[in-house]
Amino acid sequence: MHLLADFEISFPPDEDGVDSWKDEREDYYQSCQAEFQNIISFTAQANELALKSRVCEVSPYLLILGNEPKFKITQEDLDFTDFRTIDAVDLPAVVNTVSNNRLPIEFHQRYSKIRKLRNRIIHQGAAGIGFKPNELILLLTAQYADLWPQKRFLNDWFEYISSTRFSFFHDGKWSSAGMELVEMLDVFFSALTSSQIESLTGYPKNKRRYVCLRCFSDEAIENAGGHPSSFRTAYLLNQTTLHCHLCDEQFAVNRLDCPEDDCKGNVLGTTEQHQGVCHTCGLP
Ligand SMILES: [Zn+2]
Ligand SMILES: [Zn+2]
């Protein structure tokens, strides 16, 4: 998302929404190939660890299945992490045999595809194909949705941003994880298809989103010049409860029309700090 957002920020669409940067975008994606390859390598590693964790849930000793260690009578202490573990290629079959938490065959087919690409990148220095962002999004979204069906992607993404090296600079006033996210959120909701968004968040693309007033203020989005409409991370659970996918909090709301003339919002805050503040335009 960061790679995509970098381009969209420098080459925004025309006022009338026409995209006149198609050639430039293609050129940019060409120069992203090394990073796309890194993404595939990390995805392969992440998928492998996720499968190993499912095996571990049953018993960590299953991880050394088929790689019998040789013991000596004079053996010094052995460290479990030094044992050779199951080959990546065998992991899908082991997971679907020993775990109650089986993964669909399509997951394993994509896992195999990613693993082969990674091997080419590692052993030959290049994947031998040009990666397209849409194809990567399709692959990564499907893998994530199968591994983590709880649909907490925004919260996971937020936690990830809060733990990168840049998080060292998050002072909560002029720099924050939310400020990093706000630059990518629009790209996320426009680049992914409705079914992809639904598989990650539980809601289709056109489901109305609202501002979480707490996250908006805690992340100091205003200090970065961000408008509440650019940071909508909450969905209505029912008529009077809003659930923010970033902070995972639920807030009671009043269903009254926003007093602002040009705002059609009808979801107002009820907390002490945000009593009567509109969850659509952010104005009191
Ligand atoms: Zn929130
Ligand atoms: Zn409003």
Coordinates of all heavy atoms in Angstrom, one line a residue, residues 258 260 263 265 278 280-282, ligand 2:
C258 N -26.7 15.8 11.8 CA -25.6 16.7 12.0 C -26.0 18.2 11.7 O -26.7 18.4 10.7 CB -24.4 16.4 11.1 SG -23.1 17.6 11.1
E260 N -24.4 20.7 10.8 CA -23.7 21.3 9.6 C -24.6 21.2 8.4 O -25.1 20.1 8.1 CB -22.4 20.7 9.4 CG -21.3 21.1 10.3 CD -20.9 22.5 10.2 OE1 -20.7 23.0 9.1 OE2 -20.9 23.2 11.3
C263 N -23.5 18.7 5.6 CA -23.1 17.3 6.0 C -24.4 16.5 6.2 O -25.3 16.9 6.8 CB -22.4 17.4 7.4 SG -22.0 15.7 8.0
G265 N -24.4 13.6 7.6 CA -24.2 12.6 8.7 C -25.3 12.7 9.7 O -26.0 13.7 10.0
C278 N -19.9 15.1 15.3 CA -20.4 14.3 14.1 C -19.3 13.3 13.7 O -18.2 13.7 13.5 CB -20.8 15.2 13.0 SG -21.2 14.4 11.5
T280 N -19.2 11.9 11.0 CA -19.0 12.0 9.5 C -18.0 13.1 9.2 O -17.0 12.9 8.5 CB -20.3 12.1 8.8 OG1 -21.1 11.0 9.1 CG2 -20.1 12.1 7.3
C281 N -18.4 14.3 9.7 CA -17.5 15.5 9.3 C -16.6 15.9 10.4 O -15.7 16.7 10.2 CB -18.4 16.7 8.9 SG -19.4 17.4 10.2
G282 N -16.8 15.4 11.6 CA -15.9 15.7 12.7 C -16.2 17.0 13.4 O -15.4 17.4 14.3
Ligands
ZN2 ZN -21.3 16.3 10.2

